[in-house]
Amino acid sequence: MTEQKQSSETVEQTKTTVENSQQPETEPQKQKRSGTLKNLIAIAIMLAIGGGLYYYGQQQSHLLSTENHELRQQLESLKQQQSQDKQHIEALFKEQSQTLSHFAAQNNQLGNSLQELQAKISALSSSDVKSWLLAQADFLVKMAGRKLWNDQDIVTAAALLKNADASLAEMNDPSLIEIRRAITQDISTLSAISQIDFDGIILRVNQLSNQIDNLRLADNTTDGSPMDEDNDELTGTLSEWRQNLSKSWKSFMDNFITIRRRDTTAEPLLAPNQDIYLRENIRARLLIAAQAIPRHQGEVFKQSLETVSTWVRAYFDINDPNTKAFLEEIDSLSQQPISITAPDQLSSQPLLEKLMQTRVRSLLSQSSETNQGG
């Protein structure tokens, strides 16, 4: 407002000076008027510059106020966002605190359960542990009997008996000496039984099955010569026409009437390409023999090998080296036993069963007395 007042006063003075300058003056007054005019021009320029600066200042002030307002708005927005983030973080901390409290409660519960379990384990008496070891030994002896009589597996049966003796030894009970002595006797009895290599026998039978294609069929002629072979061949020499005529006449008379005897058994003959079926039938019999080995079916095993031997001798050349080796292997396998002579029972098994019944009755009586007392 002060600057506007000064500007109006300056304008009034300028108007007065201009009016005065319009009156005729003298030379000195003209010079004075010229100096005044310059001053006025300078003042006008200064006023213009001042006005421009004032206008520029007002524009800058307006821009600054606008920017300050935007900054305040951004600051308020940031404060609100910060407040929301703070609330969200507080909620997360609260939720995490609740989760940790839940986990701590579960951990305490598990700790209590573990302590209860440890207390129960500690509460087990030595008699319960011995009863468990005795039951384990009885189970191992029964399993040894099953492996011996069902699978005829001597090695596994002996190992089970040794484990049963180890369980009884862990009990450290002198009253079990008799049972342990019986187990040791059973182990010695099994060790004296000669073992049979069942896997090796199966491999030998399978090898025979692979050799069937190498066997040569027997010829149908008695002398081994081809059927169209003629020992009385005619010569091509004209001077030997008498000999050729004699040979032709003899051959004609020999073949004109043929007498064959029918009082003997005819040799079995194969139709063309029937040897394939014969070889497959032999393989099937050998497969039956191989399957009878783990089942310990000795009669089936021997019958299958005897059938194979009969077929090979009837249809194949027994003078061929491959056939001879094949038949020798068949004869050797026929004499091979595929079952062992196992004892009827284990001497330790009835002793353990009797002891188990006594211990079980004792435990049941103790349990009933405890329940009545409670």
Side-chain angles (χ1 to χ4, degrees):
M1 296 297 292
T2 304
E3 290 179 357
Q4 291 179 355
K5 185 176 181 182
Q6 290 177 358
S7 299
S8 60
E9 290 177 357
T10 305
V11 171
E12 292 293 332
Q13 291 177 3
T14 304
K15 288 181 179 181
T16 304
T17 305
V18 172
E19 290 177 355
N20 292 330
S21 64
Q22 291 179 356
Q23 298 179 1
E25 296 291 338
T26 59
E27 186 67 25
Q29 291 177 347
K30 291 181 178 181
Q31 292 178 356
K32 185 178 180 180
R33 219 174 21 250
S34 176
T36 303
L37 181 60
K38 293 179 179 180
N39 292 330
L40 291 174
I41 293 171
I43 292 171
I45 293 172
M46 291 178 65
L47 289 174
I49 293 173
L53 291 174
Y54 175 76
Y55 178 76
Y56 178 75
Q58 291 294 328
Q59 292 292 329
Q60 292 296 323
S61 177
H62 179 69
L63 290 174
L64 289 175
S65 63
T66 303
E67 291 179 356
N68 289 333
H69 180 68
E70 292 177 354
L71 289 174
R72 290 192 189 96
Q73 290 181 348
Q74 292 179 0
L75 183 60
E76 291 295 332
S77 177
L78 289 175
K79 288 181 179 180
Q80 293 178 359
Q81 184 67 31
Q82 185 179 7
S83 177
Q84 293 177 358
D85 293 341
K86 184 177 180 181
Q87 293 177 359
H88 181 65
I89 292 172
E90 290 177 354
L92 290 177
F93 275 122
K94 185 177 180 180
E95 183 179 358
Q96 186 177 9
S97 177
Q98 293 177 355
T99 305
L100 290 176
S101 300
H102 179 67
F103 286 157
Q106 287 185 346
N107 191 16
N108 293 331
Q109 185 178 1
L110 290 175
N112 295 331
S113 300
L114 182 60
Q115 291 178 359
E116 293 177 0
L117 182 60
Q118 290 177 350
K120 290 181 180 180
I121 294 175
S122 300
L124 290 176
S125 62
S126 59
S127 61
D128 296 331
V129 176
K130 290 182 179 180
S131 299
W132 183 83
L133 290 173
L134 181 61
Q136 179 178 346
D138 180 63
F139 173 76
L140 291 173
V141 170
K142 290 180 179 178
M143 286 297 299
R146 293 177 183 176
K147 294 297 292 184
L148 179 62
W149 299 312
N150 295 339
D151 301 336
Q152 295 192 354
D153 189 352
I154 301 176
V155 177
T156 305
L160 291 172
L161 290 176
K162 291 179 181 178
N163 291 334
D165 183 66
S167 297
L168 296 178
E170 189 176 352
M171 294 175 63
N172 195 18
D173 189 352
S175 63
L176 301 176
I177 294 297
E178 184 180 357
I179 298 178
R180 294 189 61 189
R181 186 182 294 112
I183 293 177
T184 304
Q185 181 63 35
D186 291 335
I187 295 174
S188 301
T189 302
L190 295 182
S191 300
I193 298 175
S194 59
Q195 300 184 15
I196 300 175
D197 186 10
F198 297 106
D199 294 335
I201 299 174
I202 294 175
L203 291 175
R204 291 172 62 184
V205 174
N206 293 336
Q207 184 64 27
L208 287 177
S209 181
N210 296 331
Q211 295 177 0
I212 294 175
D213 292 332
N214 298 330
L215 302 180
R216 188 164 65 94
L217 291 172
D219 296 332
N220 293 328
T221 57
T222 58
D223 56 356
S225 60
M227 296 179 63
D228 57 350
E229 183 178 358
D230 189 2
N231 294 329
D232 297 332
E233 295 182 356
L234 302 178
T235 62
T237 306
L238 184 59
S239 60
E240 296 180 354
W241 64 272
R242 294 179 182 275
Q243 292 83 350
N244 292 335
L245 180 60
S246 176
K247 291 178 182 180
S248 298
W249 176 257
K250 183 179 180 181
S251 177
F252 173 75
M253 294 301 295
D254 290 340
N255 296 325
F256 183 73
I257 298 175
T258 303
I259 301 174
R260 296 177 181 173
R261 300 183 61 87
R262 294 295 185 182
D263 56 351
T264 58
T265 303
E267 293 291 335
L269 300 177
L270 289 177
N273 299 327
Q274 290 299 311
D275 62 311
I276 298 176
Y277 301 103
L278 174 62
R279 297 178 194 272
E280 292 302 323
N281 287 332
I282 294 176
R283 283 194 179 91
R285 287 292 179 175
L286 290 175
L287 178 61
I288 294 174
Q291 292 175 347
I293 296 172
R295 300 171 183 173
H296 312 292
Q297 299 173 345
E299 192 64 26
V300 176
F301 177 72
K302 290 183 178 181
Q303 288 180 357
S304 300
L305 293 180
E306 289 177 358
T307 302
V308 171
S309 178
T310 302
W311 287 352
V312 170
R313 296 178 190 277
Y315 294 100
F316 293 93
D317 186 6
I318 60 176
N319 295 321
D320 185 71
N322 293 329
T323 308
K324 287 182 178 181
F326 188 89
L327 292 173
E328 289 176 358
E329 184 68 12
I330 289 290
D331 295 337
S332 176
L333 287 173
S334 299
Q335 304 300 323
Q336 177 69 48
I338 60 172
S339 61
I340 61 175
T341 304
D344 296 335
Q345 69 174 4
L346 298 174
S347 59
S348 59
Q349 186 171 352
L351 297 177
L352 274 172
E353 289 179 355
K354 183 178 179 180
L355 182 60
M356 280 295 299
Q357 292 176 0
T358 304
R359 293 291 178 94
V360 169
R361 290 174 184 174
S362 176
L363 289 175
L364 290 176
S365 61
Q366 291 178 2
S367 177
S368 61
E369 292 176 359
T370 303
N371 293 332
Q372 290 177 0

